Amino acid sequence: MNVNHSLLQVLQWPRPVEGIVAFNTLRGDANGDDPYSAFNLCHYTGDAPEHVAQCRQMLCHALGISASHLVMPRQTHTTRVAVVDEALMAAGEAERAVRLQNVDALVTRLPGVCIGVNTADCVNIALADACAGVIGVAHAGWRGTAGKIAARTVEAMVAEGARAERIVAVMGASICEHCFEVGDEVLEAFVAQGFDANAISHRNPITGKAHIRLQEANRIVLLDAGLMPENVVWNGECSRCRPWRYFSARRLGIHSGRTFTGVLRNTK
């Protein structure tokens, strides 16, 4: 598979993982007046269907897969995880859409199938157990993070034969702590789910507003789910700080494109 494409950024696993690639898409030649330019795969945020179809075709060509082997859910900030199995791959387009509705994470054992999620500031998490041949990907906004979708994804991977201590995870471009200012009700939602506010947030001394470290919150969830500390990383890039490179809902509004995070296991 050819992943050296100008519109893809390969995400680096915390340790070498043979035969499995994870990536973020890049905006490409972005036009500041067009919140969907230039490379957007998300079909439910207002972009023209023909543009989305063209972008998906370009991605599939870069990955060397057919369009039917690109699988993404219709995300709604849930903690639901779907397993992409032979039955789903054999299903018609309408049935597949139903099975992927209100889903925010995917897991599969199937080689040659690219699973992915769309984000525009939310944390995207790619996961892999190369020994078991199991991969996963999760969309973790603040609701999904507080609801511990990362742990639900690990559980689904383990059910497919993975072992938590072998799983590696990398978080791609997502909003940084400095940019992620929230109301107290958001921080309180985390505390209600057992998070230590001091471990995942700070208050701006000037505004008094809380700022949450979503990547750290997800790291904690993954460690609690059994992952080893050295097997969890963030690539350090903030989507809001670099809107010319990644889509950012806080910069562009919710009616904008999305960064796609994909994970693909080689067929060999």
Side-chain angles (χ1 to χ4, degrees), residues 80 82-83 85 87-89 91 94-101 103:
R80 291 185 59 200
V83 175
D85 53 16
L88 186 140
M89 294 304 296
E95 181 183 346
R96 182 185 288 196
V98 169
R99 287 185 57 177
L100 295 177
Q101 179 72 18
V103 168

Side-chain angles (χ1 to χ4, degrees), residues 122-125 138-142 144-146 148-151 171 190 195 200 213-224 232:
C122 296
V123 178
N124 50 84
I125 311 171
H139 157 244
W142 76 259
T145 302
K148 304 181 180 178
I149 190 172
M171 293 174 272
F190 279 85
F195 288 88
I200 65 166
R213 297 186 287 273
L214 283 177
Q215 297 83 10
E216 176 61 14
N218 279 288
R219 190 187 75 87
I220 291 170
V221 172
L222 289 167
L223 297 188
D224 287 346
V232 182

Side-chain angles (χ1 to χ4, degrees), residues 163-246:
R163 288 173 51 181
E165 67 270 20
R166 289 195 310 231
I167 295 174
V168 292
V170 56
M171 293 174 272
S174 45
I175 195 166
C176 70
E177 175 186 9
H178 173 76
C179 291
F180 194 49
E181 178 184 282
V182 301
D184 282 354
E185 72 282 358
V186 175
L187 184 57
E188 289 166 3
F190 279 85
V191 173
Q193 293 298 322
F195 288 88
D196 178 353
N198 293 324
I200 65 166
S201 69
H202 79 276
R203 286 198 179 273
N204 184 316
I206 298 175
T207 66
K209 292 285 190 177
H211 288 249
I212 293 179
R213 297 186 287 273
L214 283 177
Q215 297 83 10
E216 176 61 14
N218 279 288
R219 190 187 75 87
I220 291 170
V221 172
L222 289 167
L223 297 188
D224 287 346
L227 272 66
M228 306 301 291
E230 62 271 22
N231 286 343
V232 182
V233 294
W234 171 38
N235 77 342
E237 291 203 76
C238 173
S239 49
R240 187 178 182 275
C241 288
R242 309 186 76 183
W244 62 90
R245 184 171 170 87
Y246 306 102

Side-chain angles (χ1 to χ4, degrees), residues 3-266:
V3 295
N4 295 318
H5 193 276
S6 62
L7 295 174
L8 302 182
Q9 179 197 36
V10 174
L11 295 174
Q12 299 300 318
W13 299 109
R15 57 179 172 79
V17 176
E18 186 174 353
I20 301 174
V21 65
F23 62 88
N24 283 160
T25 56
L26 303 175
R27 289 191 68 184
D29 188 15
N31 179 344
D33 295 329
D34 181 358
Y36 300 103
S37 72
F39 193 63
N40 169 50
L41 278 67
C42 189
H43 62 287
Y44 52 83
T45 58
D47 197 0
E50 55 272 19
H51 180 237
V52 171
Q54 180 186 36
C55 293
R56 291 186 182 187
Q57 183 179 25
M58 291 172 63
L59 176 64
C60 290
H61 178 75
L63 297 177
I65 62 174
S66 65
S68 65
H69 281 62
L70 177 63
V71 182
M72 64 185 80
R74 172 61 170 90
Q75 302 158 211
T76 53
H77 295 277
T78 69
T79 57
R80 291 185 59 200
V81 183
V83 175
V84 178
D85 53 16
E86 290 86 351
L88 186 140
M89 294 304 296
E93 185 176 344
E95 181 183 346
R96 182 185 288 196
V98 169
R99 287 185 57 177
L100 295 177
Q101 179 72 18
N102 300 320
V103 168
D104 285 80
L106 299 174
V107 167
T108 192
R109 293 178 54 88
L110 301 178
V113 174
C114 179
I115 56 174
V117 294
N118 292 288
T119 61
D121 291 331
C122 296
V123 178
N124 50 84
I125 311 171
L127 307 103
D129 178 347
C131 292
V134 180
I135 58 176
V137 64
H139 157 244
W142 76 259
R143 291 178 179 84
T145 302
K148 304 181 180 178
I149 190 172
R152 306 290 83 78
T153 308
V154 171
E155 290 169 3
M157 291 178 69
V158 170
E160 290 295 305
R163 288 173 51 181
E165 67 270 20
R166 289 195 310 231
I167 295 174
V168 292
V170 56
M171 293 174 272
S174 45
I175 195 166
C176 70
E177 175 186 9
H178 173 76
C179 291
F180 194 49
E181 178 184 282
V182 301
D184 282 354
E185 72 282 358
V186 175
L187 184 57
E188 289 166 3
F190 279 85
V191 173
Q193 293 298 322
F195 288 88
D196 178 353
N198 293 324
I200 65 166
S201 69
H202 79 276
R203 286 198 179 273
N204 184 316
I206 298 175
T207 66
K209 292 285 190 177
H211 288 249
I212 293 179
R213 297 186 287 273
L214 283 177
Q215 297 83 10
E216 176 61 14
N218 279 288
R219 190 187 75 87
I220 291 170
V221 172
L222 289 167
L223 297 188
D224 287 346
L227 272 66
M228 306 301 291
E230 62 271 22
N231 286 343
V232 182
V233 294
W234 171 38
N235 77 342
E237 291 203 76
C238 173
S239 49
R240 187 178 182 275
C241 288
R242 309 186 76 183
W244 62 90
R245 184 171 170 87
Y246 306 102
F247 290 104
S248 169
R250 288 213 170 190
R251 289 279 191 190
L252 301 168
I254 60 172
H255 298 295
S256 59
R258 297 292 185 267
T259 295
F260 180 77
T261 304
V263 189
L264 175 66
R265 180 163 71 92
N266 204 328

